[in-house]
């Protein structure tokens, strides 16, 4: 497989993005409703939204994505980038697409002046962690979450 081209998602990527999103939600066993999915895609395309998405394309076909949220924080003056969702189609894994998506974000961090790029994953997501550990080691923080319902 050729190295992927990484770029911001475009309106024409909607069908591919939805397919990747479904795969990602299935991976986590998450039942995300259509309304939320529609709204997430809408915000990705909205330049005034904090949500952004990059896709990985090889020979005109989209194989992976990263959805991110760029937000303010209290520890730095510059915004930071939260990599919320990362997914590569199962048939395309192991070809460097995940690596290329994170590398693109690391370069964007420098270009955009984000103070940090960060993400979380399940402790037992060994495949993902193998990839992440090549960039940086986990910092030992543990996530807590209270849900509204
Ligand atoms: C994690 C994920 C994004 C990695 O994407 P990827 O394109 O396969 O990543 P890369 O090819 O850049 O590197 C992944 C590493 O894991 C290995 N790997 C990942 N998936 C593999 C697969 N299906 N088969 C064999 N090796 C695989 C790669 O060989 C590579 O390690 P190596 O270079 O030391 O051999 C992808 O496996 C995925 O979408 N997983 C399901 C969703 C997920 O876990 N997302 C992250 C949630 S935080």
């Amino acid at each position: 497989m050729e190295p992927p081209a990484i770029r911001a998602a475009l309106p024409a990527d909607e069908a591919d993005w939805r397919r990747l999103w479904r795969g990602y939600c299935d991976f986590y066993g998450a039942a995300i409703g259509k309304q939320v999915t529609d709204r997430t895609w809408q915000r990705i395309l909205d330049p005034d939204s904090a949500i952004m998405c990059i896709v990985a394309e090889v020979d005109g076909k989209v194989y992976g994505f990263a959805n991110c949220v760029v937000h303010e924080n209290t520890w730095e003056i510059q915004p930071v980038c939260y990599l919320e969702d990362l997914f590569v189609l199962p048939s395309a894994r192991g070809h460097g697409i995940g690596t290329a998506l994170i590398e693109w974000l690391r370069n964007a961090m420098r270009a955009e002046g984000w103070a940090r790029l960060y993400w979380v994953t399940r402790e037992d997501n060994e495949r993902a962690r193998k990839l992440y550990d090549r960039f940086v080691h986990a910092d030992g923080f543990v996530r807590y979450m209270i849900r509204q319902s």
Side-chain angles (χ1 to χ4, degrees):
M1 189 182 256
E2 293 289 306
I6 310 296
R7 58 168 176 78
L10 299 168
D13 296 316
E14 179 169 356
D16 288 327
W17 181 88
R18 284 180 185 271
R19 189 155 64 107
L20 292 164
W21 177 248
R22 209 174 310 124
Y24 180 73
C25 294
D26 288 349
F27 175 80
Y28 274 114
I32 308 282
K34 183 176 181 318
Q35 206 184 358
V36 175
T37 297
D38 291 350
R39 184 85 182 98
T40 299
W41 176 246
Q42 210 177 55
R43 284 179 291 182
I44 282 169
L45 295 182
D46 179 355
D48 293 329
S49 163
I51 297 180
M52 55 171 270
C53 170
I54 54 171
V55 297
E57 190 180 74
V58 181
D59 287 335
K61 192 172 170 344
V62 170
Y63 288 97
F65 73 7
N67 299 324
C68 301
V69 184
V70 177
H71 64 92
E72 298 292 338
N73 80 105
T74 58
W75 282 30
E76 292 99 359
I77 290 164
Q78 308 99 305
V80 295
C81 180
Y82 172 47
L83 164 54
E84 185 149 28
D85 316 307
L86 178 71
F87 186 75
V88 173
L89 288 178
S91 61
R93 290 181 191 160
H95 292 281
I97 292 176
T99 303
L101 286 162
I102 297 176
E103 272 171 1
W104 191 97
L105 290 170
R106 190 171 56 179
N107 290 335
M109 172 181 69
R110 293 169 185 145
E112 300 292 328
W114 303 330
R116 281 181 277 131
L117 167 66
Y118 73 102
W119 60 93
V120 298
T121 194
R122 294 272 297 260
E123 199 171 13
D124 62 358
N125 191 345
E126 286 172 19
R127 196 165 272 167
R129 292 195 63 185
K130 186 175 165 200
L131 164 62
Y132 301 159
D133 284 345
R134 281 204 237 115
F135 284 90
V136 67
H137 288 294
D139 61 10
F141 277 74
V142 177
R143 188 174 77 156
Y144 288 78
M145 189 188 305
I146 300 175
R147 291 188 187 277
Q148 191 192 30
S149 53

